[in-house]
Amino acid sequence: MAQANLLFPRGFLWGCATAAHQVEGQNTNNNWWAWEQQPGRIINGEKSGKACDWWGGRWREDFDRAAEANQNAHRLSIEWSRVQPAPDRWDESALDYYREMLQGLAERGMTPMVTLHHFSEPLWLTERGSWEAPEVAELFNRFVEKIVEALGEYVNLWVTINEPNVMLTSAYFMDDFPPGKNDFGPAFRVAENFTKAHAMAYHTIHRLQVSARVGIALNYRSFTPARSWSPLDRWAANLLGSSFNHMFPDALQIGRLRFIALSKSIPQAKGTQDFLGINYYSRDQVAFNLLKPGELFARRFYLPDAELSPTGFIANVPEGMFEALKWGLKFNVPLIITENGVEDADDHLRPRYLIQHLHQVWRAVNFNFPVKGYFHWTLVDNFEWERGWSQRFGLWELDVETQARRKRPSVDLYSEICRENTISSDLVARYAPEILPKIFPD
Ligand code: BGC
């Protein structure tokens, strides 16, 4: 076969995504730390502990790794509980530390994308009712204002809230995340508060920074009716799609939040996304099930012949990436893949998964979809929330005890793609020859 290259646009952002609680360690003043202390919350009773020890300074060596591997961008989050340890107190030394990290990215020639809320929150907010508290948007806004004033000179790309849809589902329907509710009651109020908080933050950031680009990172899940002929399966898949995927970005586009039969006008949210961040991991089959009202009458599963990740968490369905980007077009804003990856300690599936998903991103780019960057989840194995350390999403393997890092083969694979801004047939032949004919047909 002749050599061929799949080129990405000039200036494309290539990086990894991380989140404060998952990498920093010793975040003792937030709701996740408290959650980890409760028996039965985290697989095997595991704890985040030192995590990847970024708060102990190891972000330096990890940023070196990323930069040496040709990544030109990095997405990280700022831990609210560190910057504002009590409602009436700002910790300037924490701000200095984040400033140093952002300078560290700049020195390495990497563009930062900063997430202002990635699942964890200060304990004092939890005590006030967390995202159900009527004043939460205002409280979040004060934090955002402080951050943009202190760190704005280093950052133009802001994600206000990471995956409001996952937080809502995992914390208010599935009992996986704190506050561990399983109840429709407060859910709409929480969704409303996420939307209001994002809108307020959006306007604040723009007031302080003319050049800012502000959006959310949404977890896009592809939902396919299990039996395409079944109107009930189609109905259930649609209902899941409209609540999980559409609800938040729709609200930010039109200024109205809709969830099943509920609807609320939030006019200040209208037109508050400069880009849409998409986190794409997998696709579900959806079958209608009357016995599952709490899961919107849906039984979700992977196809029996799907290629599964080692813990069965992810089915490798790269076409869903293209579907997600195509869907994202309707918002008429630039699109950024803010997360995509797979838990795979032995790195058997990751090379293939990575190439296949990037191939779909490339396809989208070639249809002229406005895709501006890709952030892999994640740089180094980290603390995976309720799944603890049982899932290894890192390009680099982490020994949690010794803090030693070891390179997985995907590091060099991704590094070559980042350096060349290209997926070459030669690279695919070396890392995943089994998919070569599919990606580069004769
Ligand atoms: C989250 C990350 C998480 C990843 C893999 C995403 O839903 O934003 O924090 O670690 O999925 O589980």
Side-chain angles (χ1 to χ4, degrees), residues 157 213-216 273-278 325 328-329 331-337 369-373:
L157 272 176
R213 314 306 293 151
V214 185
I216 57 167
Q273 46 190 358
D274 303 325
F275 65 84
L276 176 62
I278 295 180
L325 291 166
L329 284 179
F331 299 103
N332 253 317
V333 290
L335 305 172
I336 299 177
I337 303 300
F369 295 7
V371 191
K372 303 298 175 192

Side-chain angles (χ1 to χ4, degrees), residues 2-30:
Q3 292 265 323
N5 289 327
L6 311 180
L7 292 176
F8 285 80
R10 204 189 306 195
F12 199 76
L13 296 176
W14 292 109
C16 285
T18 54
H21 187 74
Q22 298 180 272
V23 293
E24 289 179 354
Q26 304 301 335
N27 260 319
T28 56
N29 196 21
N30 74 20

Side-chain angles (χ1 to χ4, degrees), residues 187-232:
F188 193 68
R189 203 170 341 124
V190 169
E192 204 182 313
N193 284 338
F194 283 147
T195 309
K196 287 180 175 163
H198 163 85
M200 250 188 165
Y202 178 93
H203 294 298
T204 296
I205 300 171
H206 276 287
R207 173 169 56 76
L208 297 172
Q209 198 185 56
V210 192
S211 62
R213 314 306 293 151
V214 185
I216 57 167
L218 183 90
N219 185 305
Y220 181 92
R221 198 87 190 161
S222 168
F223 298 114
T224 303
R227 294 156 297 190
S228 56
W229 49 264
S230 157
L232 285 174

Side-chain angles (χ1 to χ4, degrees), residues 309-311 341-353 381 391-394 408 410:
S309 59
T311 73
V342 63
E343 93 289 3
D344 181 19
D346 295 331
D347 214 43
H348 288 149
L349 171 58
R350 188 177 290 102
R352 183 162 62 247
Y353 181 98
D381 289 340
Q391 295 187 337
R392 301 304 179 121
F393 276 84
R408 295 194 168 104
S410 292

Side-chain angles (χ1 to χ4, degrees), residues 252-295:
L252 308 190
Q253 190 178 35
I254 62 175
R256 174 168 285 280
L257 184 70
R258 293 201 207 99
F259 181 53
I260 314 182
L262 303 170
S263 166
K264 168 109 194 191
S265 163
I266 308 180
Q268 68 275 30
K270 186 175 174 179
T272 59
Q273 46 190 358
D274 303 325
F275 65 84
L276 176 62
I278 295 180
N279 298 351
Y280 173 74
Y281 288 91
S282 199
R283 165 182 290 168
D284 290 320
Q285 305 299 308
V286 178
F288 176 79
N289 188 330
L290 193 58
L291 303 177
K292 288 182 176 274
E295 290 168 49

